[in-house]
Structures are given as C-alpha cells and as structure tokens.
Amino acid sequence: MAKWGEGDPRWIVEERADATNVNNWHWTERDATNWSSDKLKELLLGVRVEGGEGVCEVTEVDKLEGEASINNRKGKLIFFYEWNIKATWTGTSKTGIKYKGNVEIPNLSDENDMDDLDISASLSKDEPDTPLLALMRKEGVQAVRSALGGYLGHLKTVSQLDSEKD
C-alpha cells in the first residue's frame, strides 16, 4: 500500500487541473447499441443457404432488442452485449413453392459462447411441412451462428480502431 501522496499518478484525477483520464486508466464506457443493431441486421440479412431441397434466406429482422457497450479499464477492452433477436426466413423449394418461417435467438450475450447459443428455426403458422425446414434447422442455423460470430469480430475490430484514434 502506498503512503499518502506517493500513489500512481494515473490515479490522481481530482488533483489534475484538467481532470484527464490518463491513458484511459479509469473506467470508460462507450455505447455500441446503434452500431450493433445496424451490424446485426446487415449480417443476418446476408444469411442464405442452398441444398437439394431448395434455397432459404433470412429476409427480415423482426425484433432486435438489447444493448451493447465497449468498456475500457486500465487499457483493457471489455465487451458487454445482450440481444434477443427474431427474424423471418423465406424458402423456395426446387418446385417453386414458397415457404415462410422464423428464426429466434433469445440469448446472444457476452455470457454465452457462440457454440452455446440457442438458435431455433420454425415454420410460420399455417405453413405445410417442408424439407426446407430441415435445411434451415441444420445449415441455416450454422449460417446464422457464423453471422453472429462475425458480429463479435466486427465489434472487437471497430473498438480497436476507435481506441487507436483516441
């Protein structure tokens, strides 16, 4: 324990005339919710899978609730995000019949690994059963998981670039 007046100069903020947070030593927080919302929509709307049964793609992000922030403590970046996402997918079978369904991701957060995400794909009400649902549940869910992993990569890249500018 340091004696009074012999502490680390980075900690002495109130005695500085400008009260500067030297080298972001103290906790700083930036809201990344709007950027994240746009990026998640962009990534999810790019999800498309093809198989012997036909083609499926995410066509609309119906619900995107949550928040994201980038924190800096002693020069270390810490990411907090929590999202509840619902999207609509449409599929076209090889015979040309169109189907609609939903994708739900209730737990995209910094507390869960990408492999632990609950991603469910289902058909909309009144839709007849189709092999496209199996395509969405297998390959579509993996494509969505990959897109969400891309979000985390982009979040870290953007925050690195921003912190280098500061």
Side-chain angles (χ1 to χ4, degrees), residues 2-166:
K3 293 181 184 173
W4 184 259
E6 294 180 8
D8 190 327
R10 295 173 292 190
W11 281 97
I12 305 171
V13 175
E14 62 276 349
E15 293 180 15
R16 292 179 56 106
D18 59 1
T20 300
N21 186 0
V22 180
N23 295 327
N24 286 328
W25 185 253
H26 302 284
W27 189 275
T28 58
E29 182 174 349
R30 285 196 346 257
D31 185 22
T33 302
N34 290 335
W35 177 88
S36 292
S37 178
D38 293 342
K39 184 52 89 173
L40 284 166
K41 286 178 185 174
E42 174 189 322
L43 291 169
L44 288 172
L45 292 175
V47 171
R48 177 184 167 93
V49 291
E50 281 188 57
E53 302 85 9
V55 177
C56 296
E57 64 183 315
V58 176
T59 54
E60 189 177 334
V61 177
D62 305 313
K63 177 178 156 186
L64 193 58
E65 293 177 346
E67 60 186 356
S69 65
I70 303 167
N71 300 283
N72 189 334
R73 173 74 172 122
K74 295 184 180 181
K76 181 180 177 192
L77 293 174
I78 305 164
F79 305 94
F80 294 116
Y81 55 94
E82 189 168 339
W83 295 99
N84 183 357
I85 306 168
K86 289 185 181 177
T88 301
W89 63 270
T90 56
T92 307
S93 68
K94 289 288 184 192
T95 58
I97 301 171
K98 294 198 179 280
Y99 297 91
K100 259 186 135 171
N102 303 303
V103 175
E104 274 192 63
I105 306 118
N107 63 341
L108 176 61
S109 76
D110 55 282
E111 297 174 357
N112 299 316
D113 289 335
M114 282 298 151
D115 296 335
D116 296 336
L117 284 181
D118 294 329
I119 303 174
S120 62
S122 61
L123 282 170
S124 296
K125 290 181 182 177
D126 302 329
E127 287 285 340
D129 199 25
T130 174
L132 290 176
L133 180 57
L135 175 68
M136 248 338 256
R137 284 186 173 160
K138 186 174 181 186
E139 293 178 35
V141 164
Q142 289 304 330
V144 167
R145 190 180 311 277
S146 177
L148 296 175
Y151 158 71
L152 188 54
H154 285 295
L155 181 65
K156 289 180 178 180
T157 303
V158 165
S159 62
Q160 281 296 120
L161 295 173
D162 286 350
S163 67
E164 290 171 5
K165 282 193 269 183
D166 293 342

